[in-house]
Amino acid sequence: MFDSLYKRIEINPFDYLDSFNRNTALMVTIDKAGKCNVMALDWKKITEFEGDPVIRAQVAYSRYTYTLLTKGEAEFTINIPSERINNAVDIAGSFSGRNTDKIKMAKLELIPGGATKVPTLKNCLLNYECKIIHDAKSEISSHHYFYGKIIRAYGSVDL
Ligand SMILES: Cc1cc2nc3c(=O)[nH]c(=O)nc-3n(C[C@H](O)[C@H](O)[C@H](O)COP(=O)(O)O)c2cc1C
């Protein structure tokens, strides 16, 4: 389906894996009051979980994002930025949403979620709306695993 407003099309989540794997993502989460946060995320994988397409994201316990994933809405979006928002990765990866509004600081523009309360981001090559269906403690790393079922995936036709 073509989304003419945001110039993107709905894609199969397993398309464009190369671009997904190669780039640092911007992970957006939201608290129960509707306030969003963004974090840089390298440790991510598109895979299947019990037959569903999922994104497995590894998030350290110290991140504010971890608090939002466990105490806010059980959803996240994964956004692969285009060159237009290059600066956002540094900001999202160096400050914490506990005391900084990184979305404002990086001048990120939001697209209301179609299937999630969490928005996606404009000026991205790829966007994924995910609902958490499982999470697990890792035996080998200090990062927690979150498995988000991919409800919708989009690819830009403009960038
Ligand atoms: C390029 C890059 C990739 C990162 N990847 C991850 C990651 O995969 N998982 C993670 O927990 N933190 C990762 N981080 C660190 C967080 O983005 C960073 O600690 C951030 O400030 C956390 O924000 P928050 O407290 O608002 O959640 C990465 C940072 C950078 C710069």
Side-chain angles (χ1 to χ4, degrees):
M1 196 191 69
F2 179 58
D3 178 349
S4 57
L5 188 56
Y6 299 112
K7 297 209 171 60
R8 57 186 190 170
I9 48 165
E10 236 176 298
I11 57 166
N12 178 311
F14 293 99
D15 291 342
Y16 309 107
L17 281 184
D18 194 41
S19 182
F20 177 89
N21 291 331
R22 218 173 342 106
N23 291 289
T24 300
L26 295 171
M27 180 182 209
V28 181
T29 46
I30 192 167
D31 71 13
K32 293 275 190 197
K35 183 152 178 25
C36 298
N37 183 43
V38 61
M39 179 190 105
L41 180 89
D42 262 341
W43 289 10
K44 59 186 169 25
K45 186 181 168 115
I46 295 192
T47 181
E48 272 191 34
F49 186 83
E50 297 188 348
D52 288 320
V54 295
I55 293 180
R56 190 193 71 188
Q58 288 176 248
V59 179
Y61 295 98
S62 57
R63 315 291 185 235
Y64 182 53
T65 296
Y66 176 82
T67 305
L68 291 176
L69 289 167
T70 51
K71 298 208 166 62
E73 298 294 339
E75 303 176 340
F76 58 83
T77 64
I78 295 294
N79 305 272
I80 303 296
S82 74
E83 287 177 359
R84 286 187 192 173
I85 53 169
N86 258 345
N87 68 323
V89 170
D90 283 348
I91 291 173
S94 337
F95 296 87
S96 176
R98 273 192 202 92
N99 44 36
T100 308
D101 185 339
K102 292 186 268 183
I103 291 181
K104 210 168 168 186
M105 187 186 254
K107 297 190 172 64
L108 290 171
E109 296 176 80
L110 308 179
I111 303 176
T116 52
K117 290 183 184 157
V118 194
T120 52
L121 300 176
K122 277 192 197 171
N123 295 311
C124 286
L125 305 174
L126 298 164
N127 307 110
Y128 304 85
E129 295 179 355
C130 302
K131 285 185 188 280
I132 297 171
I133 54 171
H134 182 64
D135 69 283
K137 193 171 161 37
S138 165
E139 298 301 324
I140 51 166
S141 97
S142 56
H143 289 56
H144 198 77
Y145 290 110
F146 291 93
Y147 294 81
K149 178 175 171 178
I150 302 170
I151 311 295
R152 291 193 192 163
Y154 303 92
S156 170
V157 295
D158 189 31
L159 297 166

